[in-house]
Amino acid sequence: MALVVFLKGVNVGGHRTFRPSLLAQALKRFRVVNVGAAGTFVIPAAVGRTTLRAEMLRRLPFEADLIVCDGRDILRLVSGNPFGSRPSEPGVVRFVSVLARRRPPPARMPVTMPADGAWCLRILACEGRFVLGLYRREMRAIGYLGRLEQIFGVPVTTRNWNTILTIGRILKGLDAL
């Protein structure tokens, strides 16, 4: 099964910038598919995680955290349609945060931040290594997303639900080959 790699904290606010398409090209022997500009890649080739991780880190112009998932876990998440078919309200973004390792969810769900007043971020569910939620398009949402590492105690990287759906379509296309 294909692997999916999420780089953490790259191409954000002018820090740790690089061109993911060039990294994908440099790793063409693994048939890497670049998904967007945030450092998200689908790797259809049969390759060990250790080899892939070493090759990617060697070619990046800075140190980075990589979170690697099995493609079948992404397909399972997408096929479960966790957000339903109703579109989100304007100004609200559906997100999936990927945990470096599976961790138990907070005791009570949903988790709302801030706890009092109008919410900025809501954790709706945890499915394996995936944290599903919503955030409002506000600058302070970035700070609340950063708290996910404190809540779960492992490195976390976040992607828009639309990015996860795109990964799912790529993976389904690979299965059709």
Side-chain angles (χ1 to χ4, degrees), residues 88-151:
S88 64
E89 57 189 85
V92 174
V93 176
R94 297 172 178 170
F95 72 87
V96 175
S97 290
V98 184
L99 305 175
R101 290 181 305 285
R102 182 185 294 252
R103 300 291 295 170
R108 288 189 2 203
M109 295 285 240
V111 174
T112 302
M113 293 183 225
D116 298 323
W119 68 272
C120 185
L121 181 136
R122 280 191 180 143
I123 300 172
L124 303 174
C126 295
E127 296 187 18
R129 293 175 56 194
F130 305 111
V131 177
L132 300 132
L134 307 168
Y135 67 82
R136 295 193 189 277
R137 288 190 190 272
E138 300 176 12
M139 285 304 295
R140 63 190 181 128
I142 295 169
Y144 290 119
L145 286 167
R147 290 187 187 176
L148 294 178
E149 290 194 353
Q150 296 168 345
I151 292 170

Side-chain angles (χ1 to χ4, degrees), residues 6-163:
F6 300 93
L7 298 182
K8 179 180 180 269
V10 300
N11 288 348
V12 177
H15 300 285
R16 296 181 2 171
T17 59
F18 79 112
R19 292 186 48 202
S21 60
L22 295 179
L23 178 60
Q25 186 178 23
L27 297 168
K28 65 183 173 190
R29 71 183 175 132
F30 300 124
R31 300 187 353 247
V32 173
V33 178
N34 174 47
V35 182
T40 306
F41 305 94
V42 176
I43 295 81
V47 59
R49 289 174 187 243
T50 304
T51 300
L52 178 64
R53 182 179 300 275
E55 278 294 311
M56 291 187 99
L57 291 174
R58 186 174 69 80
R59 294 176 185 277
L60 284 169
F62 45 76
E63 287 189 28
D65 292 324
L66 277 71
I67 297 177
V68 183
C69 295
D70 286 331
R72 68 178 147 257
D73 293 337
I74 300 283
L75 286 172
R76 193 175 309 118
L77 178 68
V78 168
S79 69
N81 196 18
F83 291 105
S85 57
R86 200 174 116 228
S88 64
E89 57 189 85
V92 174
V93 176
R94 297 172 178 170
F95 72 87
V96 175
S97 290
V98 184
L99 305 175
R101 290 181 305 285
R102 182 185 294 252
R103 300 291 295 170
R108 288 189 2 203
M109 295 285 240
V111 174
T112 302
M113 293 183 225
D116 298 323
W119 68 272
C120 185
L121 181 136
R122 280 191 180 143
I123 300 172
L124 303 174
C126 295
E127 296 187 18
R129 293 175 56 194
F130 305 111
V131 177
L132 300 132
L134 307 168
Y135 67 82
R136 295 193 189 277
R137 288 190 190 272
E138 300 176 12
M139 285 304 295
R140 63 190 181 128
I142 295 169
Y144 290 119
L145 286 167
R147 290 187 187 176
L148 294 178
E149 290 194 353
Q150 296 168 345
I151 292 170
F152 290 94
V154 296
V156 176
T157 189
T158 300
R159 299 296 188 272
N160 186 300
W161 177 241
N162 292 333
T163 300

